[in-house]
Amino acid sequence: MKVMKFGGTSVGTPARMKDVAKLVTSSGQPVFVVLSAMSGTTNSLIEISDYLYKKNPEGANEVINKLEQKYMKHVDELYSTEEWRANTRNFLIGEFNYLRSFTKELFTSFEEKSIVAQGEMISTNMVTNYMKEQGINATLLSALDFMRTDKNSEPDPLYIKEKLNAVLEKNKDVQIYITQGFICRNAYGEIDNLQRGGSDYTASLIGAAINAEEIQIWTDIDGMHNNDPRVVDKTTPVHQLHFEEAAELAYFGAKILHPTCIQPAKYAGIPVRLLNTMEPEAEGTTISNATEVGKIKAVAAKDNITAIKIKSSRMLLATGFLRKVFEIFESYQTAIDMVCTSEVGVSMSIDNDTHLSEIVDELKKYGTVTVDTGMCIICVVGDLDWSNVGFETLAAEAMKNIPVRMISYGGSNYNISFLIKEEDKKRALQSLSDTLFNH
């Protein structure tokens, strides 16, 4: 069985919902479908929650009414029979009355997560109803019945596998299984969400739990590109990536995928395909444990980086120096992206400057501290094992006219990273494309 996940833009209009129905039934085989909320809905639900936090029920009701009118219009476009229009209208009336009920009670973070979850509840019900109207053997499975996180807010794979397979056993003869992405219950049974990766994470967890043949992530982009198409000319989709390569690209700026969400698929050895709902015939990108030896795949960029350098003559041959430095970042829950060391200093980059002033104050105990803001990490990804002679030279050649603050190579077999000023980002990305891919 394949798992097919569709994002918010893929179910963003009634016409696109119909396209999804065609895609999931085209093979004639059983398929497990994961749906996000319709594009824009989650933002509206967060806005409703924000009004309720601010004790402004009138503002919340105004947004609820506006959202309800939008969905009622979708009903007329999506369904062709009055029976299913009435069925879905009644469902939507219940949903929006449920949202209004929050304007009459004390509001907490638990209620907010219940509100935000309704976006996926609505989209999955609407699509399931449409498929049933078309005579498709589809059933809606509530993600709240099997998707759970543990006390550390991490997915509980054993629970998910046990509960999900029990649900499938009760629904053996179904062709299309539909469920919600993003939402789950926490260890205490409360409605919660998966946070990192959202619906993609749901699809990967389901794929691993049922040992799926393949996990497909459908968006409005034809896979991961070899550079940022918003910045660089002549980018092309990358047809094959190793899981580690995809994770590097996702972490360093490829927004199509969250780096965490493919981990369950990686550990289960299940390939993930990134496909385009608007161009379903496009090859897209396949992510698996296979490696294309000796090939540079893509370039990505991560903005809003801060570089911190600590210089200290006391560091020379001093054991424990780096431990003390890293403990400061850990105490402020600030992750480090890049690290470069010398005999008398260490440079690091971070992408979260919330506690920058406190961190700098602490670091001054150990040496002279210099801070550079407005920086950008450029990441070159591929099979960059050190035995592949010349790759680092090729990447450096492309950067020869760009001032580089730091270089990281050797921490991974899959990337070379350059820290530069954000103002040089476009030139750097274009030069790398011209040198690595367009020559």
Side-chain angles (χ1 to χ4, degrees), residues 348-384:
M348 292 154 294
S349 71
I350 59 174
D351 63 0
N352 177 5
D353 61 2
T354 305
H355 299 289
L356 180 61
S357 60
E358 296 99 316
I359 289 170
V360 170
D361 284 342
E362 294 276 354
L363 291 173
K364 285 180 179 177
K365 297 175 183 176
Y366 302 107
T368 304
V369 181
T370 306
V371 177
D372 295 312
T373 58
M375 307 297 285
C376 170
I377 294 176
I378 303 291
C379 179
V380 179
V381 169
D383 178 35
L384 304 175

Side-chain angles (χ1 to χ4, degrees), residues 55-173:
K55 296 181 172 56
N56 182 354
E58 292 82 6
N61 273 318
E62 190 171 326
V63 180
I64 292 169
N65 293 339
K66 191 174 179 180
L67 192 61
E68 184 178 27
Q69 290 169 10
K70 173 184 171 181
Y71 273 100
M72 289 301 180
K73 288 180 181 177
H74 290 333
V75 169
D76 291 330
E77 297 176 46
L78 185 57
Y79 305 99
S80 57
T81 64
E82 190 53 42
E83 176 190 354
W84 284 101
R85 285 176 183 156
N87 188 313
T88 307
R89 282 195 198 102
N90 289 335
F91 162 74
L92 290 173
I93 289 169
E95 278 291 301
F96 287 101
N97 284 339
Y98 174 69
L99 291 176
R100 291 186 184 96
S101 70
F102 289 98
T103 65
K104 303 168 186 175
E105 58 185 51
L106 182 67
F107 195 73
T108 69
S109 60
F110 299 115
E111 279 74 27
E112 179 186 15
K113 288 178 178 177
S114 295
I115 286 177
V116 173
Q118 301 316 303
E120 281 74 15
M121 295 290 195
I122 292 172
S123 65
T124 51
N125 269 274
M126 290 181 71
V127 171
T128 303
N129 285 353
Y130 173 74
M131 288 190 184
K132 287 181 176 179
E133 184 188 48
Q134 300 305 306
I136 299 166
N137 184 9
T139 190
L140 178 59
L141 306 177
S142 174
L144 301 180
D145 290 340
F146 57 82
M147 193 62 61
R148 187 178 77 169
T149 55
D150 59 23
K151 292 182 179 179
N152 297 316
S153 298
E154 295 294 335
D156 187 340
L158 293 177
Y159 178 93
I160 294 168
K161 183 173 183 176
E162 178 188 346
K163 295 295 182 182
L164 182 54
N165 281 287
V167 170
L168 292 179
E169 185 66 24
K170 293 178 182 177
N171 296 273
K172 282 183 177 180
D173 299 325

Side-chain angles (χ1 to χ4, degrees), residues 207-228:
I210 66 173
N211 195 26
E213 169 191 345
E214 181 179 84
I215 298 165
Q216 298 179 354
I217 308 294
W218 290 81
T219 65
D220 55 355
I221 303 170
D222 52 346
M224 279 194 176
H225 278 231
N226 60 6
N227 210 323
D228 190 339

Side-chain angles (χ1 to χ4, degrees), residues 187-391:
Y188 308 100
E190 300 154 337
I191 294 178
D192 209 326
N193 58 64
L194 294 173
Q195 300 174 20
R196 298 160 301 179
S199 297
D200 293 348
Y201 208 3
T202 301
S204 191
L205 288 163
I206 289 173
I210 66 173
N211 195 26
E213 169 191 345
E214 181 179 84
I215 298 165
Q216 298 179 354
I217 308 294
W218 290 81
T219 65
D220 55 355
I221 303 170
D222 52 346
M224 279 194 176
H225 278 231
N226 60 6
N227 210 323
D228 190 339
R230 298 166 299 180
V231 178
V232 174
D233 299 328
K234 299 179 182 177
T235 68
T236 57
V238 181
H239 297 308
Q240 194 279 331
L241 288 169
H242 188 278
F243 278 113
E244 295 290 347
E245 293 170 340
E248 295 278 9
L249 288 170
Y251 182 76
F252 284 103
K255 302 298 184 186
I256 189 173
L257 200 65
H258 191 283
T260 304
C261 74
I262 55 175
Q263 285 181 355
K266 172 190 171 184
Y267 297 144
I270 299 170
V272 176
R273 292 184 69 200
L274 308 180
L275 297 163
N276 187 352
T277 316
M278 315 307 166
E279 296 181 40
E281 302 305 317
E283 184 178 345
T285 300
T286 298
I287 304 168
S288 68
N289 283 316
T291 299
E292 288 187 288
V293 177
K295 187 172 181 180
I296 296 177
K297 297 293 186 66
V299 177
K302 191 176 185 182
D303 296 326
N304 302 314
I305 301 297
T306 299
I308 304 170
K309 180 170 73 175
I310 310 108
K311 189 172 82 171
S312 172
S313 58
R314 290 180 293 166
M315 181 183 173
L316 184 63
L317 301 179
T319 59
F321 180 84
L322 287 177
R323 175 181 56 79
K324 293 173 184 176
V325 168
F326 292 146
E327 281 178 348
I328 292 171
F329 288 89
E330 182 183 5
S331 67
Y332 289 102
Q333 296 185 315
T334 301
I336 296 171
D337 286 319
M338 294 174 64
V339 180
C340 291
T341 64
S342 72
E343 289 186 348
V344 294
V346 56
S347 289
M348 292 154 294
S349 71
I350 59 174
D351 63 0
N352 177 5
D353 61 2
T354 305
H355 299 289
L356 180 61
S357 60
E358 296 99 316
I359 289 170
V360 170
D361 284 342
E362 294 276 354
L363 291 173
K364 285 180 179 177
K365 297 175 183 176
Y366 302 107
T368 304
V369 181
T370 306
V371 177
D372 295 312
T373 58
M375 307 297 285
C376 170
I377 294 176
I378 303 291
C379 179
V380 179
V381 169
D383 178 35
L384 304 175
D385 187 270
W386 65 275
S387 61
N388 293 321
V389 177
F391 279 0

